[in-house]
Each structure stands twice: as C-alpha cells, then as structure tokens.
C-alpha cells in the first residue's frame, strides 16, 4: 500500500495499524475487547442514522447564489436586497413531502422548495413549496393531515380511505387537491418547477413602513410535468430520478435558475381585500397584484457530502432577517414554532452551529451548553442579560413594525367556507387547458377509485361545488350517480357529512 496517503486513525487520532483483521486470541479465536478500533467502528456505525424528517424526508440540495435585479429598498430594509447586482450565497433543498427517505422522487406530492440565504444580518430561510397554496389553514390540523398521507396504523400501507376521508371532511383543501392532482403534482424534475412562499410575509423598510408580500420563484428551465402514467413508470425505473437530474445537471455545468417575482399588497389593500390575504388556501390573483421581478437564483455547486450538507440542513421559517417579518397567517405561526422544534429533535439543540446551518455573520446569544455544543460556547463572557460586563445587547432599531390586532381570544371557526370553492373553480375553468383538465380528472379517478363509495360521493360533491363540469367528470369516471353528487353539493358541509356517514 502506498505511503503517500493520510494515516487512518481512530476518533481520538491514534494511528490504526490494520483495518482488515480484528484482533483475536489465536487465528481462529474469539475477538478481543482490546481491539478498540473495532469497537469504535461498530459503535459509530450503529448510530449512523438520525431521525428521519417527519415530513420532507426525501430530498436533494445544492449551493448557489441569489442576485438582486430591482430596487426594493422602498419596501424592505433587508440588507441582502439592498442593491441591484448584490449577490448572496444560498443553499436550496428540494423534497417530496409524505414519503419516507427512500421513497420515489416521482410520487404525486407537493415538492418542498426551501432556500437558505446566508445574509450578513443572519440566515434567512424561505421554506416554500412548488404550490402557491396549502391543504389546511390552521396548524392544529397539521399532524392529522400528515397522518392521512402516510401509512395506516394497522396495515402500514398507504390508504386511499384515510387520504380522501380527511380531505373530504376538510373542504378548504380543494384548491391544493386540484393542483396536486393536476400534472403539477408530478413535476418532471426539481429544475422544472416553480417555488412559492405560499405564506404571506411582511416586508418593512428603514422608516418602519410595511407591506405584505408573497414570493414566486419562476423556473427558467420551463414548467415540465409527468403525466400520471409517466410518473408511475419513473417510480419503477428510477426512484431517484429528480435527485440524479439535479446533481448531474450541476456537474455538467448546466446550472438551473429561477427568477424571483414578488406580489406586494399594502396594509390598506389587505383590510378590504375580497379574500383573506393571510389564508394559505388562497392565492392573490395576478390581475390584482401583478408580480414584480426582483432577482434571480442560480444553483451552481453540488454538495460534497450529502449527509453534512443536505441531511443536516435545517430550514425554519423562523429564520428571518431585519426587513422581513411574519404575517398573521395561522399556518405560518404554527410553522414558526414547529420547524425549529423538529430540528432540535432531529439534530439536537445546537443544530444551528452545524456548518451548513451556521450563519456567515457574527452570532452572539445567551443560549449556552446543550448536547454537541462544539464551538467555544461563547467563551468566558457573561451568560445572562442584562449584565454590566460588556455582553452583547439588543438593539431597538431592529424592531419589527407593530401591527394592530384586536378581538376575542377564542377558537374561531372560519366563517366564509363558500369562498373556498372560488379559486379551485377559477383554476379548473380559466387556467387549465383541455388536456390539463383531462389529466386532472383521470389522475383523481385513479386514486379516488380506491376509497369507499361514500367518500367518493362526498369528495365529488366538493369538486362539483367548485365547478359543475369538474364534479360531473370525476363522478362519471367513478361511475357515481350524478343526481346524488349534485344533491350533496347543494347541502351544507355538515349535512353532506351526515348524509355520507357509514
Ligand atoms: P393568472 O391567469 O394570472 O395566473 C395563473 C397561474 O396559474 C400562473 O401563474 C400559472 O403559473 C399557473 N398555472 C398554470 N397552469 C397551472 C396548473 N395546471 N396548475 C396550477 N397552476 C397553474 O390567474 P390568477 O392569478 O387569477 O389565478 C387563477 C388561478 O391560478 C388561481 O386560483 C390558482 O389556482 C392558480 N395560480 C395562481 C397563482 C397566483 O399567485 N395568482 C400562482 C399559481 C397558480 P405559470 O405562469 O408559472 O405557469
């Protein structure tokens, strides 16, 4: 063996003499406890896996940059957006949502689209999806929703009954269901899809004036999707096709890029707008809020180590920077808690110190200790605030603008349920082509045919409420009684549910 390689060592740095033969008592004898290189190697292997992400487990990531192309300083003081031409390093992770870490990239599922901007005022994470809306608007429903997309507790199989039972009991999901079962639910690659913030965020400027915004990353590779059939075939042929596509494109110098477009709404417009601008099941129609191009993102470097950079990447919508704040969107409020919480569970309380997650600007806090605190733990300085010994202090000039909220503290039910059918209807009628509608109906029929008939009826009534043609075609595909579907569509959700009870 050549002598010019680096020495193999144990974790403590002791050189290893032999990595092929365990130390034994005699050539055929039992293995000796004193072979600490062996025991360390086995023990570390036993601990290689960390908890899988409960959602977004299967993913691929890449490094790149974001470059500003328009002056947005009237809207935000965010330093990374402060100058046309300014570049900021990013790390992006794309993912499927419901499947396990080994699941197929071509599954029908929303795709995660998470961007970490390493700005000079802290890391900014925009943790979006390839869809502009979401299934539910209240975080209290999230764990239940995800359970229905995963596996049956008894059979450990995916279950169309669970899937459609929950969705048909949750009519606000119809908009996202319509996108999910269109061919946009099976993007051809991660490069051929858009990314949306889905949530509304606040942008505020140096004077403390604020606007509400939504982000749209538009693919410069063009939207391309699989049909349901093509996606099924790809699942069997190459379950990792989107991971492979991203890695290979970047290796070959074919760097994928996205334009960033923003929709901007003033607080006055928000007050009187016909849709709740903070309801994540709705979009802001482009006609009312035309998107403005403000920058471009390019991915130009593959990770060198998947585990270190992609598996350990921890995104959280709570990672905001001065100039960008949260909105009252209830799902966003839930995610502000849940994302950092799940990262603490998955990676430990000091996950933010891992190289892929660490900010590239100075970081000082009074959080100390905890498992795997592998830096200097902020040395010998004071570990409490306030202090008289020169420890870091807060700066009131970074306060997020105050917003006026009022009302009774209670569990408020959503009261405009019929509005939930407007946008899916518009999408079906006005945006989709004939081919899109045909594929949508066929994709739904394929999946919904696996559920009990009463669930088919309840769900079809929702499609019918969004658009008669939509509901009729799905009902026909399933061989349902059209009059029954139309009758159920006339009912309140409460009556519809009792009419379709077992
Ligand atoms: P517009 O006609 O101005 O915009 C339609 C949007 O729909 C475009 O951004 C287009 O994205 C996208 N789109 C095209 N085909 C599909 C499809 N098969 N599935 C999902 N999205 C598609 O209309 P509005 O702004 O008034 O919105 C009408 C409907 O379009 C909405 O109810 C919503 O369902 C959908 N939509 C709206 C978005 C928004 O932010 N306003 C964003 C995405 C969808 P692209 O240009 O990238 O192809």
């Amino acid at each position: 063996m050549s002598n010019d390689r680096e020495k193999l060592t144990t974790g403590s740095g002791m050189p290893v003499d032999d990595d092929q033969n365990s130390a034994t008592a005699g050539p055929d004898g039992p293995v000796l406890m004193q072979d600490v290189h062996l025991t360390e190697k086995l023990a570390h292997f036993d601990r290689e896996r960390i908890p899988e992400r409960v959602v977004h487990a299967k993913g691929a990531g890449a490094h790149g940059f974001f470059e500003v192309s328009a002056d947005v300083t009237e809207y935000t003081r965010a330093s990374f957006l402060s100058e046309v031409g300014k570049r900021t390093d990013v790390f992006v992770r794309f993912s499927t949502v419901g499947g396990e870490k080994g699941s197929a990239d071509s599954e029908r599922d929303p795709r995660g689209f998470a961007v970490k901007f390493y700005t000079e005022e802290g890391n900014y994470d925009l943790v979006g999806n390839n869809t502009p809306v979401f299934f539910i608007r209240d975080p209290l429903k999230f764990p239940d929703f995800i359970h229905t997309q995963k596996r049956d507790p008894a059979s450990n199989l995916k279950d169309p009954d669970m899937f459609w039972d929950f969705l048909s009991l949750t009519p606000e999901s119809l908009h996202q269901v319509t996108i999910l079962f269109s061919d946009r639910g099976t993007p051809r690659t991660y490069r051929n899809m858009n990314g949306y913030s889905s949530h509304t965020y606040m942008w505020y400027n140096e004077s403390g004036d604020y606007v509400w915004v939504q982000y749209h990353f538009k693919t410069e590779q063009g939207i391309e999707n699989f049909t349901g059939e093509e996606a099924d075939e790809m699942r069997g042929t190459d379950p990792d096709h989107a991971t492979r596509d991203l890695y290979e494109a970047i290796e070959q110098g074919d760097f994928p890029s996205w334009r960033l477009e923003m929709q901007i709404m003033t607080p006055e417009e928000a007050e009187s707008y016909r849709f709740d601008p903070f309801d994540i099941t709705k979009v802001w129609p482009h006609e009312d809020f035309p998107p403005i191009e403000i920058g471009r993102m390019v991915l130009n470097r593959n990770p060198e180590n998947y585990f270190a950079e992609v598996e350990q990447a921890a995104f959280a919508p709570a990672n905001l920077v001065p100039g960008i704040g949260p909105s009252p969107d209830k799902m966003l409020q839930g995610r502000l808690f849940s994302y950092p919480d799940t990262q603490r569970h998955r990676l430990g309380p000091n996950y933010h110190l891992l190289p892929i997650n660490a900010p590239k600007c100075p970081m000082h806090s009074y959080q100390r200790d905890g498992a795997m605190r592998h830096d200097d733990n902020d040395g010998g300085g004071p570990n409490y605030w306030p202090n008289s010994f020169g420890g870091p202090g807060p700066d009131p000039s970074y306060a997020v603008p105050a917003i006026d909220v009022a009302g009774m503290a209670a569990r408020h039910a959503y009261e405009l349920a019929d509005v939930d059918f407007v946008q899916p209807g518009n999408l079906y009628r006005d945006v989709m082509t004939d081919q899109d509608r045909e594929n949508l109906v066929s994709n739904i029929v394929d999946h919904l045919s696996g559920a009990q008939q009463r669930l088919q009826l309840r769900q079809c009534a929702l499609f019918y409420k969004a658009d008669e043609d939509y509901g009729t075609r799905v009902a026909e595909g399933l061989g349902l009684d059209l009059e029954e579907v139309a009758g159920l569509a006339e009912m309140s959700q409460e009556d519809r549910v009792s009419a379709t009870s077992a």
Side-chain angles (χ1 to χ4, degrees):
M1 190 137 324
S2 112
N3 278 334
D4 57 6
R5 30 175 118 232
E6 292 193 291
K7 277 193 191 104
L8 178 69
T9 71
T10 63
S12 63
M14 177 179 71
V16 172
D17 61 320
D18 181 345
D19 198 30
Q20 292 287 289
N21 301 296
S22 302
T24 51
D28 304 322
V31 171
L32 299 178
M33 281 292 287
Q34 70 185 41
D35 188 349
V36 291
H37 170 56
L38 169 69
T39 52
E40 179 186 89
K41 190 171 178 177
L42 292 178
H44 194 276
F45 174 73
D46 294 344
R47 291 164 178 78
E48 276 184 8
R49 291 291 169 272
I50 59 174
E52 182 174 286
R53 290 170 168 88
V54 63
V55 284
H56 297 273
K58 173 81 184 287
H63 299 267
F65 65 86
F66 175 78
E67 184 172 318
V68 179
S69 64
D71 181 359
V72 288
T73 50
E74 72 175 291
Y75 301 118
T76 177
R77 64 184 285 186
S79 65
F80 78 105
L81 297 174
S82 62
E83 243 177 276
V84 172
K86 184 162 184 174
R87 281 191 179 188
T88 298
D89 288 346
V90 298
F91 182 74
V92 175
R93 182 174 182 269
F94 305 111
S95 52
T96 49
V97 180
E100 297 85 4
K101 199 166 177 294
S103 60
D105 289 344
S106 68
E107 290 287 354
R108 180 170 306 288
D109 212 358
R111 301 293 187 270
F113 193 114
V115 184
K116 190 182 286 295
F117 298 81
Y118 296 97
T119 93
E120 62 269 43
E121 289 185 326
N123 288 351
Y124 173 45
D125 291 356
L126 191 61
V127 196
N129 278 334
N130 72 325
T131 60
V133 294
F134 197 61
F135 297 90
I136 48 173
R137 59 178 150 246
D138 191 312
L140 198 50
K141 302 182 184 186
F142 189 75
D144 303 296
F145 164 64
I146 292 298
H147 288 168
T148 71
Q149 308 294 296
K150 290 196 174 265
R151 292 172 184 275
D152 176 87
S155 66
N156 200 37
L157 296 170
K158 296 206 173 166
D159 181 5
D161 280 342
M162 285 164 66
F163 186 96
W164 291 106
D165 188 26
F166 182 86
L167 295 175
S168 63
L169 291 169
T170 313
E172 74 211 51
S173 63
L174 197 68
H175 197 183
Q176 176 79 321
V177 166
T178 303
I179 296 175
L180 179 66
F181 280 87
S182 79
D183 287 340
R184 288 203 176 196
T186 50
R188 186 169 286 275
T189 72
Y190 290 136
R191 296 181 301 128
N192 293 111
M193 62 186 203
N194 294 338
Y196 304 89
S197 61
S198 312
H199 297 296
T200 297
Y201 287 90
M202 176 196 275
W203 270 12
Y204 56 95
N205 64 18
E206 289 287 355
S207 319
D209 304 321
Y210 69 91
V211 288
W212 302 114
V213 297
Q214 295 210 344
Y215 298 66
H216 303 244
F217 281 100
K218 295 290 192 96
T219 171
E220 295 190 324
Q221 290 66 243
I223 296 268
E224 283 186 38
N225 302 308
F226 285 135
T227 61
E229 212 172 298
E230 288 169 336
D232 285 349
E233 197 184 317
M234 185 53 86
R235 204 162 39 193
T237 320
D238 182 1
D240 303 316
H241 85 279
T243 306
R244 190 183 318 283
D245 172 83
L246 180 69
Y247 191 86
E248 288 180 354
I250 294 174
E251 281 305 284
Q252 287 156 17
D254 179 11
F255 301 140
S257 56
W258 286 260
R259 280 186 323 278
L260 176 58
E261 298 179 358
M262 301 298 298
Q263 287 184 291
I264 296 175
M265 186 187 287
T266 64
E268 297 73 36
E269 286 169 325
E271 260 171 44
S272 56
Y273 195 52
R274 64 198 156 106
F275 298 111
D276 173 0
F278 308 117
D279 174 356
I280 194 173
T281 67
K282 308 285 179 294
V283 296
W284 298 357
H286 291 148
E287 195 179 59
D288 299 342
F289 300 97
I292 304 165
E293 184 175 335
I294 73 139
R296 186 164 176 263
M297 180 172 79
V298 179
L299 299 183
N300 58 8
R301 183 161 60 89
N302 275 319
E304 280 175 29
N305 184 285
Y306 182 87
F307 183 85
E309 291 155 75
V310 187
E311 193 62 9
Q312 293 198 129
F315 296 88
N319 291 343
L320 296 162
V321 288
I324 304 177
S327 78
D329 175 340
K330 294 178 193 179
M331 277 300 294
L332 173 60
Q333 295 282 327
R335 292 178 80 210
L336 292 173
F337 159 72
S338 199
Y339 276 63
D341 187 53
T342 201
Q343 307 298 6
R344 288 181 197 108
H345 159 67
R346 200 170 67 87
L347 299 163
N350 288 310
Y351 72 91
H352 57 290
L353 299 176
L354 292 166
I356 192 68
N357 300 324
K360 297 190 196 302
C361 63
M363 171 184 46
H364 305 289
S365 76
Y366 292 101
Q367 275 79 271
R368 294 287 192 276
D369 309 354
M372 304 310 290
R373 181 81 203 225
H374 57 74
D375 64 352
D376 72 350
N377 200 21
D378 272 314
N383 60 359
Y384 59 93
W385 176 262
N387 66 70
S388 318
F389 298 97
D395 177 347
S397 75
Y398 286 108
V400 177
I403 59 168
D404 192 9
V405 289
M408 303 297 287
R411 297 189 187 278
H412 296 279
Y414 191 73
E415 281 172 359
L416 299 168
D418 270 359
V419 177
D420 291 337
F421 299 97
V422 173
Q423 292 195 352
N426 292 343
L427 174 62
Y428 181 83
R429 276 185 305 272
D430 307 333
V431 178
M432 290 189 174
T433 62
D434 286 345
Q435 187 67 55
D436 290 338
R437 282 187 280 267
E438 195 177 316
N439 294 3
L440 168 72
V441 169
S442 133
N443 293 334
I444 293 174
V445 170
D446 265 4
H447 198 287
L448 186 52
S449 59
Q452 293 178 11
Q453 197 183 59
R454 65 196 179 96
L455 304 180
Q456 296 176 358
L457 283 163
R458 197 195 290 157
Q459 182 65 39
C460 261
L462 302 182
F463 296 135
Y464 194 91
K465 275 178 77 70
D467 184 279
E468 274 187 34
D469 179 68
Y470 186 9
T472 303
R473 288 170 67 178
V474 177
E476 282 171 355
L478 292 165
L480 299 177
D481 179 346
L482 264 182
E483 270 184 36
E484 199 176 353
V485 171
L488 286 167
E490 291 280 298
M491 296 178 186
S492 68
Q493 174 70 0
E494 205 181 0
D495 291 346
R496 194 162 36 243
V497 171
S498 62
T500 49
S501 295

